[in-house]
């Protein structure tokens, strides 16, 4: 049975569930940022504080926007970039099993960029 309703429900389920899982990585970084603890890695050479700020945007702020379906495709871009940095720079020298989670998130958020939110989001189309 090919139903647009099932397609849109599937897209909503996918974007909400993958973004909720990403929040489990972003929330501790957000708490670290608001507590004033700016110790963080500097994988792309811009400094620890800007790196933490960008990670919070990609792993906390943007997933919240994706969950509600607001500017979903645009919001998925920083998250995908953050996961690309995690997979190819932070875990670049690690074995596949270590970078696998970042790669799965990267693939998931690229998929969201390509297919959009579906009709169950603030940006309904």
């Amino acid at each position: 049975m090919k139903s647009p309703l099932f397609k849109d429900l599937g897209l909503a389920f996918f974007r909400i569930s993958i973004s909720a899982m990403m929040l489990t990585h972003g929330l501790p970084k957000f708490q670290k940022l608001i507590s004033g603890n700016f110790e963080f890695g500097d994988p792309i050479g811009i400094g620890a504080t800007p790196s933490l700020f960008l990670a919070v945007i990609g792993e906390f702020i943007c997933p919240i926007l994706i969950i509600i379906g607001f500017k979903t495709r645009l919001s998925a871009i920083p998250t995908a970039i953050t996961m690309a940095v995690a997979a190819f720079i932070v875990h670049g020298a690690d074995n596949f099993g270590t970078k696998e989670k970042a790669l799965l998130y990267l693939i998931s958020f690229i998929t969201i960029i390509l297919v959009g939110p579906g009709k169950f989001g603030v940006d309904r189309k």
Side-chain angles (χ1 to χ4, degrees):
M1 176 184 322
K2 287 177 125 181
S3 168
L5 175 65
F6 286 135
K7 178 187 138 204
D8 288 318
L9 281 173
L11 289 173
F13 175 76
F14 180 69
R15 74 176 161 78
I16 291 167
S17 59
I18 201 72
S19 296
M21 287 187 282
M22 178 57 70
L23 283 175
T24 66
H25 299 278
L27 181 59
K29 292 175 180 80
F30 177 70
Q31 290 171 328
K32 180 181 228 185
L33 183 68
I34 62 173
S35 74
N37 178 0
F38 302 114
E39 292 177 26
F40 196 70
D42 184 18
I44 57 175
I46 61 171
T49 302
S51 293
L52 176 60
F53 184 74
L54 290 173
V56 167
I57 290 171
E59 295 182 17
F60 185 73
I61 305 297
C62 288
I64 290 171
L65 296 174
I66 295 167
I67 286 170
I68 63 173
F70 181 73
K71 303 291 182 191
T72 305
R73 287 183 162 142
L74 188 61
S75 297
I77 293 170
T79 307
I81 292 169
T82 302
M83 291 300 98
V85 169
F88 300 117
I89 298 174
V90 176
H91 297 293
D94 295 341
N95 63 29
F96 181 76
T98 303
K99 65 175 94 177
E100 183 176 13
K101 189 187 316 180
L103 289 170
L104 287 170
Y105 278 124
L106 174 60
I107 291 165
S108 297
F109 286 102
I110 288 174
T111 301
I112 291 170
I113 292 167
L114 295 173
V115 300
K119 77 174 188 176
F120 297 112
V122 174
D123 290 342
R124 289 183 246 182
K125 291 194 179 181

